[in-house]
Protein backbone atom coordinates (compact mmCIF):
# COMPACT_ATOMS: atom_id res chain seq x y z
CA UNK A 1 0.00 0.00 0.00
CA UNK A 2 1.32 3.49 -0.89
CA UNK A 3 2.05 5.92 1.91
CA UNK A 4 -0.62 8.55 2.44
CA UNK A 5 0.22 12.25 1.97
CA UNK A 6 1.71 14.14 4.91
CA UNK A 7 -0.83 14.91 7.67
CA UNK A 8 -3.49 12.69 6.05
CA UNK A 9 -6.29 12.33 8.61
CA UNK A 10 -7.62 9.03 9.89
CA UNK A 11 -11.29 8.15 9.64
CA UNK A 12 -12.11 9.05 13.25
CA UNK A 13 -10.23 12.36 13.00
CA UNK A 14 -12.29 13.69 10.10
CA UNK A 15 -15.59 12.09 11.20
CA UNK A 16 -15.74 13.82 14.60
CA UNK A 17 -18.73 16.21 14.51
CA UNK A 18 -19.76 15.28 10.97
CA UNK A 19 -23.31 14.43 12.13
CA UNK A 20 -24.05 18.00 13.32
CA UNK A 21 -26.43 18.77 10.43
CA UNK A 22 -27.99 15.31 10.31
CA UNK A 23 -31.76 14.91 10.37
CA UNK A 24 -33.13 13.59 13.69
CA UNK A 25 -34.11 9.99 14.27
CA UNK A 26 -37.78 9.04 14.40
CA UNK A 27 -39.85 6.36 16.14
CA UNK A 28 -42.39 6.37 13.29
CA UNK A 29 -41.72 2.71 12.43
CA UNK A 30 -41.73 1.47 16.04
CA UNK A 31 -44.21 -1.39 16.36
CA UNK A 32 -44.33 -2.06 12.61
CA UNK A 33 -42.98 -5.05 10.71
CA UNK A 34 -42.06 -5.71 7.08
CA UNK A 35 -41.03 -8.60 4.86
CA UNK A 36 -38.71 -7.54 2.05
CA UNK A 37 -37.97 -9.65 -1.01
CA UNK A 38 -34.81 -8.66 -2.87
CA UNK A 39 -34.09 -9.17 -6.55
CA UNK A 40 -31.32 -11.69 -5.79
CA UNK A 41 -33.71 -13.93 -3.82
CA UNK A 42 -32.78 -12.79 -0.32
CA UNK A 43 -35.72 -12.44 2.09
CA UNK A 44 -35.54 -10.16 5.12
CA UNK A 45 -38.05 -9.94 7.96
CA UNK A 46 -37.92 -6.76 10.04
CA UNK A 47 -39.81 -5.82 13.21
CA UNK A 48 -39.05 -2.40 14.69
CA UNK A 49 -38.96 -1.45 18.35
CA UNK A 50 -37.67 1.71 19.97
CA UNK A 51 -34.13 2.14 18.66
CA UNK A 52 -33.83 -1.49 17.61
CA UNK A 53 -34.96 -3.98 15.00
CA UNK A 54 -35.57 -7.71 15.12
CA UNK A 55 -34.36 -9.16 11.85
CA UNK A 56 -34.26 -12.57 10.19
CA UNK A 57 -32.92 -13.50 6.75
CA UNK A 58 -33.62 -17.23 6.85
CA UNK A 59 -30.06 -18.03 7.91
CA UNK A 60 -29.57 -15.87 10.97
CA UNK A 61 -31.68 -13.68 13.24
CA UNK A 62 -31.06 -11.21 16.04
CA UNK A 63 -32.23 -8.00 17.64
CA UNK A 64 -29.80 -5.17 16.96
CA UNK A 65 -29.54 -1.43 17.29
CA UNK A 66 -31.35 0.36 14.46
CA UNK A 67 -31.57 4.06 13.69
CA UNK A 68 -34.53 5.24 11.59
CA UNK A 69 -34.63 8.65 9.88
CA UNK A 70 -37.42 9.94 7.64
CA UNK A 71 -35.49 11.37 4.68
CA UNK A 72 -38.46 12.03 2.37
CA UNK A 73 -42.25 11.54 2.63
CA UNK A 74 -42.89 7.88 3.61
CA UNK A 75 -39.19 7.16 2.97
CA UNK A 76 -36.82 6.00 5.69
CA UNK A 77 -33.06 5.65 6.03
CA UNK A 78 -32.49 2.69 8.36
CA UNK A 79 -29.07 1.80 9.76
CA UNK A 80 -28.73 -1.63 11.41
CA UNK A 81 -25.57 -2.11 13.49
CA UNK A 82 -24.92 -5.80 14.09
CA UNK A 83 -23.59 -6.56 17.58
CA UNK A 84 -22.48 -9.99 16.38
CA UNK A 85 -20.92 -8.72 13.12
CA UNK A 86 -18.91 -5.61 14.01
CA UNK A 87 -17.21 -5.57 10.60
CA UNK A 88 -20.55 -5.41 8.77
CA UNK A 89 -23.54 -3.05 8.69
CA UNK A 90 -26.70 -2.81 6.64
CA UNK A 91 -28.34 0.37 5.40
CA UNK A 92 -31.92 0.06 4.17
CA UNK A 93 -33.92 2.64 2.25
CA UNK A 94 -37.65 1.90 2.49
CA UNK A 95 -40.59 3.75 1.00
CA UNK A 96 -43.53 2.30 2.90
CA UNK A 97 -46.04 3.84 0.44
CA UNK A 98 -44.55 2.67 -2.88
CA UNK A 99 -43.12 -0.46 -1.19
CA UNK A 100 -39.74 0.04 -2.88
CA UNK A 101 -36.58 -0.94 -1.00
CA UNK A 102 -32.82 -0.82 -1.41
CA UNK A 103 -30.24 -2.54 0.81
CA UNK A 104 -26.62 -1.41 0.95
CA UNK A 105 -24.54 -3.97 2.87
CA UNK A 106 -21.07 -2.74 3.86
CA UNK A 107 -18.26 -5.12 4.84
CA UNK A 108 -14.82 -4.26 6.24
CA UNK A 109 -12.61 -6.91 4.67
CA UNK A 110 -9.20 -8.08 5.73
CA UNK A 111 -6.55 -6.04 3.92
CA UNK A 112 -5.20 -9.21 2.32
CA UNK A 113 -8.59 -9.79 0.66
CA UNK A 114 -8.74 -6.31 -0.87
CA UNK A 115 -5.40 -5.90 -2.64
CA UNK A 116 -5.78 -3.17 -5.27
CA UNK A 117 -9.32 -2.41 -4.11
CA UNK A 118 -10.90 -0.36 -1.34
CA UNK A 119 -10.85 -2.40 1.86
CA UNK A 120 -14.53 -1.75 2.64
CA UNK A 121 -16.80 -3.42 0.09
CA UNK A 122 -20.51 -2.86 -0.55
CA UNK A 123 -23.32 -5.09 -1.83
CA UNK A 124 -26.44 -3.54 -3.41
CA UNK A 125 -29.84 -5.24 -3.41
CA UNK A 126 -32.99 -3.57 -4.80
CA UNK A 127 -36.19 -5.09 -3.47
CA UNK A 128 -39.89 -4.77 -2.70
CA UNK A 129 -41.81 -4.76 0.57
CA UNK A 130 -44.13 -7.73 0.26
CA UNK A 131 -47.88 -7.62 0.91
CA UNK A 132 -49.02 -5.37 -1.92
CA UNK A 133 -48.23 -4.05 -5.40
CA UNK A 134 -45.14 -1.87 -5.70
CA UNK A 135 -45.53 1.60 -7.20
CA UNK A 136 -43.14 4.20 -8.50
CA UNK A 137 -39.80 3.47 -10.16
CA UNK A 138 -37.68 0.52 -9.11
CA UNK A 139 -34.32 1.56 -7.60
CA UNK A 140 -31.66 1.33 -10.30
CA UNK A 141 -28.09 2.41 -10.92
CA UNK A 142 -27.98 5.93 -12.29
CA UNK A 143 -25.69 8.28 -14.23
CA UNK A 144 -27.75 11.35 -13.36
CA UNK A 145 -25.14 12.94 -11.07
CA UNK A 146 -22.33 12.93 -13.66
CA UNK A 147 -21.12 16.49 -14.23
CA UNK A 148 -22.59 17.89 -11.00
CA UNK A 149 -20.35 19.83 -8.61
CA UNK A 150 -21.92 20.36 -5.18
CA UNK A 151 -20.95 21.54 -1.70
CA UNK A 152 -21.92 19.63 1.44
CA UNK A 153 -21.98 21.37 4.82
CA UNK A 154 -21.98 18.74 7.57
CA UNK A 155 -21.12 21.22 10.31
CA UNK A 156 -19.42 24.63 10.62
CA UNK A 157 -16.16 22.64 10.60
CA UNK A 158 -16.98 20.20 7.80
CA UNK A 159 -17.53 21.52 4.27
CA UNK A 160 -16.69 19.29 1.30
CA UNK A 161 -16.91 19.70 -2.45
CA UNK A 162 -17.96 16.74 -4.59
CA UNK A 163 -17.47 16.52 -8.35
CA UNK A 164 -19.17 13.51 -9.93
CA UNK A 165 -16.82 12.40 -12.69
CA UNK A 166 -18.36 9.19 -14.08
CA UNK A 167 -20.58 6.26 -13.20
CA UNK A 168 -17.67 4.79 -11.23
CA UNK A 169 -15.70 7.70 -9.75
CA UNK A 170 -16.07 11.03 -7.99
CA UNK A 171 -13.57 13.62 -6.75
CA UNK A 172 -13.74 15.27 -3.34
CA UNK A 173 -11.87 18.03 -1.61
CA UNK A 174 -12.22 19.54 1.85
CA UNK A 175 -13.02 23.27 1.84
CA UNK A 176 -13.42 23.69 5.62
CA UNK A 177 -12.19 21.36 8.37
CA UNK A 178 -9.29 19.20 9.51
CA UNK A 179 -8.88 17.80 5.97
CA UNK A 180 -8.72 21.24 4.34
CA UNK A 181 -6.49 21.07 1.29
CA UNK A 182 -6.85 17.29 1.00
CA UNK A 183 -8.79 15.53 -1.73
CA UNK A 184 -8.90 12.36 -3.78
CA UNK A 185 -10.78 10.36 -6.41
CA UNK A 186 -12.63 7.30 -5.11
CA UNK A 187 -14.93 4.55 -6.38
CA UNK A 188 -18.67 5.21 -6.30
CA UNK A 189 -22.03 3.60 -6.96
CA UNK A 190 -25.18 5.70 -7.36
CA UNK A 191 -28.77 4.49 -7.36
CA UNK A 192 -31.80 6.57 -8.26
CA UNK A 193 -34.44 5.74 -5.66
CA UNK A 194 -37.23 8.07 -6.80
CA UNK A 195 -37.65 11.47 -8.41
CA UNK A 196 -34.95 13.81 -7.04
CA UNK A 197 -33.84 11.06 -4.63
CA UNK A 198 -30.51 9.27 -4.94
CA UNK A 199 -28.45 6.85 -2.89
CA UNK A 200 -24.79 7.78 -3.31
CA UNK A 201 -22.01 5.53 -2.00
CA UNK A 202 -18.24 5.70 -2.12
CA UNK A 203 -15.33 3.50 -1.12
CA UNK A 204 -11.98 5.11 -0.29
CA UNK A 205 -8.56 3.77 -1.27
CA UNK A 206 -6.26 5.67 1.09
CA UNK A 207 -8.07 4.66 4.29
CA UNK A 208 -10.41 1.78 5.09
CA UNK A 209 -13.80 3.51 4.97
CA UNK A 210 -16.94 3.44 2.86
CA UNK A 211 -20.04 5.58 3.03
CA UNK A 212 -23.72 5.49 2.13
CA UNK A 213 -25.78 8.67 1.71
CA UNK A 214 -29.37 9.43 0.74
CA UNK A 215 -29.71 12.66 -1.27
CA UNK A 216 -33.06 14.47 -1.20
CA UNK A 217 -32.70 17.22 -3.79
CA UNK A 218 -36.18 18.59 -3.03
CA UNK A 219 -35.07 19.43 0.52
CA UNK A 220 -31.35 19.71 -0.37
CA UNK A 221 -30.42 17.39 2.49
CA UNK A 222 -27.97 14.48 2.68
CA UNK A 223 -28.30 11.74 5.30
CA UNK A 224 -25.78 8.97 5.69
CA UNK A 225 -23.09 6.98 7.49
CA UNK A 226 -19.44 5.93 7.35
CA UNK A 227 -18.15 2.45 8.17
CA UNK A 228 -14.45 1.92 8.55
CA UNK A 229 -11.33 1.43 10.65
CA UNK A 230 -10.14 4.16 13.03
CA UNK A 231 -6.55 5.25 13.47
CA UNK A 232 -6.13 2.88 16.41
CA UNK A 233 -7.62 -0.10 14.55
CA UNK A 234 -11.21 -0.11 15.83
CA UNK A 235 -14.26 -0.70 13.65
CA UNK A 236 -16.50 2.38 13.78
CA UNK A 237 -19.91 3.13 12.26
CA UNK A 238 -20.42 6.91 12.26
CA UNK A 239 -23.57 8.88 11.35
CA UNK A 240 -23.34 11.92 9.08
CA UNK A 241 -25.59 14.47 7.44
CA UNK A 242 -25.32 17.69 5.46
CA UNK A 243 -27.01 20.58 3.73
CA UNK A 244 -26.45 20.42 -0.06
CA UNK A 245 -25.71 23.35 -2.36
CA UNK A 246 -25.40 22.75 -6.09
CA UNK A 247 -22.44 24.76 -7.40
CA UNK A 248 -22.28 23.95 -11.13
CA UNK A 249 -23.01 21.36 -13.80
CA UNK A 250 -20.75 20.27 -16.67
CA UNK A 251 -22.40 19.25 -19.94
CA UNK A 252 -20.58 16.85 -22.28
CA UNK A 253 -20.64 16.74 -26.07
CA UNK A 254 -22.21 13.64 -27.64
CA UNK A 255 -19.65 10.87 -27.88
CA UNK A 256 -17.46 12.44 -25.18
CA UNK A 257 -19.52 11.50 -22.16
CA UNK A 258 -17.65 9.83 -19.27
CA UNK A 259 -17.98 6.08 -18.87
Amino acid sequence: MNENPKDWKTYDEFAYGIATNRLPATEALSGSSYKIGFDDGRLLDLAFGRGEARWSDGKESATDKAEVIEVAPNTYFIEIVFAGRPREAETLILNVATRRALSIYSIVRDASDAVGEPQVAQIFRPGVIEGGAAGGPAPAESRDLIGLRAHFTYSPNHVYEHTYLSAERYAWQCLVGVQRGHGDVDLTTTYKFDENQYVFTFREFKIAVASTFFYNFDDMRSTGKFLGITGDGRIQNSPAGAFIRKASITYYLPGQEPV
Side-chain angles (χ1 to χ4, degrees), residues 114-233:
V115 176
E117 300 177 351
Q119 188 172 344
V120 186
Q122 294 177 311
I123 299 169
F124 302 88
R125 294 183 175 99
V128 172
I129 300 173
E130 297 186 350
E141 288 194 59
S142 173
R143 297 172 52 85
D144 290 358
L145 300 187
I146 295 175
L148 173 65
R149 183 168 63 93
H151 295 164
F152 292 77
T153 300
Y154 300 89
S155 82
N157 300 313
H158 295 82
V159 181
Y160 287 80
E161 181 177 84
H162 292 183
T163 303
Y164 302 94
L165 302 175
S166 70
E168 299 176 347
R169 290 175 174 80
Y170 92 118
W172 64 267
Q173 64 172 332
C174 179
L175 304 179
V176 177
V178 298
Q179 286 184 302
R180 178 171 169 77
H182 290 172
D184 205 358
V185 174
D186 288 310
L187 294 182
T188 69
T189 303
T190 301
Y191 272 74
K192 183 173 184 178
F193 191 78
D194 209 330
E195 194 64 32
N196 274 336
Q197 298 175 15
Y198 294 87
V199 176
F200 172 73
T201 71
F202 63 85
R203 299 164 291 282
E204 292 200 23
F205 281 100
K206 289 191 181 350
I207 58 176
V209 67
S211 190
T212 300
F213 281 91
F214 182 94
Y215 291 173
N216 182 337
F217 284 124
D218 288 329
D219 295 343
M220 299 303 284
R221 297 294 292 264
S222 169
T223 302
K225 55 73 70 80
F226 295 89
L227 178 69
I229 302 176
T230 64
D232 58 3

Side-chain angles (χ1 to χ4, degrees), residues 95-108:
N95 184 320
V96 297
T98 65
R99 312 188 78 85
R100 297 294 184 182
L102 179 66
S103 166
I104 306 93
Y105 203 101
S106 301
I107 305 169
V108 181

